[in-house]
Amino acid sequence: MKILGIETSCDETAMSVIEISPRQARGEEITVLSNVISSQVKLHAKYGGVVPSLAAREHVKNIKHVFNLALKQAAKNGKWKMENGKLPVDLIAVTRGPGLGPALLVGITFAKTMSWLYKKPLTGVNHLEGHIHSNWLSPVANSKSKTLNPKQIFPALNLIVSGGHTELVLMNSRDQYQIIGETVDDAVGEAFDKVARLLSLGYPGGPAISKTAEKGNPDKYILPRPMSKSKNYDFSYSGLKTAVLYLLRDLYPPAGGRKPDAKIRADIAASFQNAAIDVLVQKTMRAAKEYKVKSILLSGGVSANKLLRKELHKNTAEAGIKYFQPPMEYTTDNAAMIAVAGYFSRSKNKKTDYKSVKMDANLGFRPKR
Ligand code: KG4
Ligand code: ZN
C-alpha cells in the first residue's frame, strides 16, 4: 500500500510517499520512497521565530513544486512510471493539527483537492502522533526497511520534544495514548530558541546551542533543573531560561554594554544544554521504571540533540530498556512520519473522504479511553 503524506503545520512544506507491506507477525515493513522538505528557516530567521501569515504564503508558493518532486522521486525509487491524470497512491494523509492555523489550512486544502480530484481516501493526522511514528522510518529508498514488532515495544514511553511540545506519552498499544507528563510553561525546544536569542546565536536556536556547547564547559555554571525532583512527570523550562538571563545580567551589567565573548557564550550554552537534557533524561527514566515499559521512543525536533541521544542511549542500556530514536532526517518536521501515522490511524477514523478532514490547530492527544 502506498501513502502520500502532507505536512504544513509550521515552517516546513513537506511531502513524502511511503510503501507499507501488509501486516506481518513481526510488524509492518515500511519503505520511504521519497521525503521532500522545503524549509523556510531563512525567511523566518530575521524575525527570530516563525511568522504564521508568512509561513502560509510560502506554503502556497511551494506546495505544487514539493508535490511534483515527491512523486518524481518516489517513481524513481519505486521503479514505476508516472501516468498523466493518475495519482499512484492508495491513501493521502495530512496533518490536521496541532500547528499554526494559516499554515495547516494550506496543506489541508491541497490534500482535500487531491483527494477529490483523484478519488483517493484522505485521513487527518495528529502532528504529534506523526513525530512518534518517525521511529518507524528508515532512510529514503533503503532496501532494508525497518520493522518494529508491537509485541516487543509496547508498553512504550514516548518522549516528544519539539519547539511547541514537551510530553511524556505512554502507549500501551498501537492506538492508545495517555499523557503522563507535559510542560507547564515553555517547551524545551522553545527554551533552546530563547536562550540562543539571549546569546545572539540566531534562529533556530537548538542546533546553534548544541554546536556552540561543543566548545564549552558544561559544569562551569550550575543552572537550575526545574521540577526534576517533583513527584509528577511534568516539566518547566521558563525558569531555566530566566536563570540564563540573570546570569548574563550578572556577568554583563547593562551599563557594561558588552556582548558575551565566545568562551563565555560556549560555557553558558553547554551549562544550559546540560541542565535542560538532564531533567528530560531523569524524568523519562523514572517514568519508564514506574510504568514498567518495554521501550522508550524519542521524537520531535529536539531529538536531533546529540547529548540527549547519547544520554538516553546510555541510561536505557543500563536499565535494560529498549531504546529507539529517529534517523536524523526525520527528527524535524517531515511528511514521511505523517504518512506512517496516517496508515496506522486510518482504521480508527470511520470516514476517510475529503469532506471528513477538518483543521484543528489546538489538537491534543485524546485521553485514555
Ligand atoms: O519538531 P520541530 O521541527 O517543530 C515543532 O513541531 O516544533 O522542532 C523544532 C524545535 C526547535 O525549537 C529547534 O530549536 C529544536 O527543535 N531543535 C533542537 C536541535 N535541532 C532542532 N534542539 C536542541 N538540539 C538540537 N540539535
Ligand atoms: Zn513538529
Side-chain angles (χ1 to χ4, degrees):
M1 175 170 189
K2 290 192 199 72
I3 303 148
L4 169 70
I6 303 177
E7 155 63 39
T8 64
S9 68
C10 194
D11 59 344
E12 259 97 32
T13 319
M15 289 206 209
S16 162
V17 179
I18 64 164
E19 184 151 27
I20 304 195
S21 70
R23 179 125 197 216
Q24 310 189 354
R26 63 198 179 99
E28 290 77 8
E29 274 184 19
I30 301 170
T31 310
V32 181
L33 294 173
S34 63
N35 181 39
V36 179
I37 303 172
S38 167
S39 173
Q40 310 170 3
V41 153
K42 278 197 190 131
L43 171 77
H44 298 286
K46 46 181 181 282
Y47 303 99
V50 181
V51 184
S53 56
L54 286 187
R57 198 186 67 187
E58 287 300 298
H59 287 316
V60 171
K61 250 200 244 169
N62 295 332
I63 203 157
K64 187 73 201 312
H65 184 56
V66 170
F67 174 73
N68 287 338
L69 220 60
L71 287 180
K72 214 168 133 190
Q73 209 185 83
K76 187 168 162 248
N77 290 328
K79 298 186 179 58
W80 79 66
K81 279 220 171 72
M82 294 283 291
E83 283 180 61
N84 274 345
K86 288 204 173 149
L87 182 63
V89 299
D90 309 288
L91 174 72
I92 303 173
V94 64
T95 305
R96 73 181 196 96
L100 306 170
L104 284 164
L105 264 186
V106 180
I108 293 174
T109 309
F110 188 86
K112 282 182 176 227
T113 311
M114 293 302 111
S115 163
W116 171 79
L117 191 65
Y118 293 107
K119 315 249 169 317
K120 300 288 174 182
L122 175 66
T123 187
V125 174
N126 181 312
H127 181 77
L128 298 177
E129 225 170 308
H131 272 302
I132 288 177
H133 286 88
S134 59
N135 279 295
W136 271 254
L137 299 168
S138 32
V140 178
N142 196 327
S143 54
K144 273 202 193 125
S145 51
K146 192 154 151 190
T147 51
L148 292 191
N149 187 339
K151 285 201 188 101
Q152 287 176 8
I153 61 168
F154 297 122
L157 181 64
N158 291 279
L159 173 63
I160 311 174
V161 278
S162 71
H165 294 86
T166 308
E167 308 213 5
L168 274 173
V169 179
L170 184 68
M171 267 173 103
N172 283 318
S173 63
R174 171 80 73 201
D175 54 6
Q176 196 192 50
Y177 299 100
Q178 184 192 352
I179 299 178
I180 61 165
E182 61 193 324
T183 183
V184 296
D185 43 52
D186 290 356
V188 60
E190 193 179 348
F192 270 86
D193 293 335
K194 286 180 175 168
V195 169
R197 209 177 308 160
L198 290 176
L199 296 175
S200 312
L201 293 175
Y203 172 87
I209 293 260
S210 51
K211 191 157 181 282
T212 310
E214 281 170 16
K215 291 169 239 130
N217 172 6
D219 302 316
K220 173 80 186 187
Y221 303 106
I222 306 301
L223 292 168
R225 273 115 169 107
M227 296 186 80
S228 63
K229 299 278 178 286
S230 69
K231 290 217 167 66
N232 61 26
Y233 294 111
D234 286 340
F235 301 91
S236 163
Y237 278 100
S238 77
L240 177 55
K241 169 208 69 194
T242 309
V244 173
L245 177 72
Y246 289 163
L247 173 63
L248 276 167
R249 208 181 51 184
D250 292 347
L251 290 169
Y252 297 96
R258 265 197 313 131
K259 263 191 172 177
D261 62 38
K263 175 73 184 118
I264 290 182
R265 276 203 289 200
D267 287 344
I268 296 178
S271 304
F272 160 78
Q273 178 175 253
N274 212 21
I277 300 301
D278 194 20
V279 183
L280 287 177
V281 175
Q282 271 191 48
K283 290 209 134 176
T284 305
M285 292 312 299
R286 194 145 52 78
K289 284 169 197 164
E290 186 191 325
Y291 287 92
K292 299 189 175 55
V293 299
K294 285 187 188 158
S295 66
I296 290 177
L297 280 71
L298 175 67
S299 63
V302 184
S303 72
N305 187 278
K306 283 188 199 144
L307 180 66
L308 177 59
R309 290 166 90 94
K310 192 178 109 198
E311 286 299 316
L312 280 177
H313 217 284
K314 193 178 108 207
N315 280 271
T316 48
E318 280 165 11
I321 296 171
K322 283 195 195 66
Y323 170 61
F324 299 95
Q325 58 188 22
M328 275 306 206
E329 62 257 59
Y330 306 116
T331 53
T332 41
D333 289 349
N334 65 85
M337 68 184 197
I338 301 302
V340 186
Y343 171 84
F344 287 127
S345 65
R346 79 197 190 290
S347 50
K348 276 189 295 173
N349 308 337
K350 283 167 214 86
K351 284 191 193 153
T352 49
D353 69 358
Y354 70 92
K355 285 183 223 136
S356 62
V357 175
K358 291 195 174 58
M359 183 195 87
D360 185 350
N362 300 315
L363 192 67
F365 277 119
R366 276 162 223 96
K368 189 178 171 189
R369 270 181 285 242

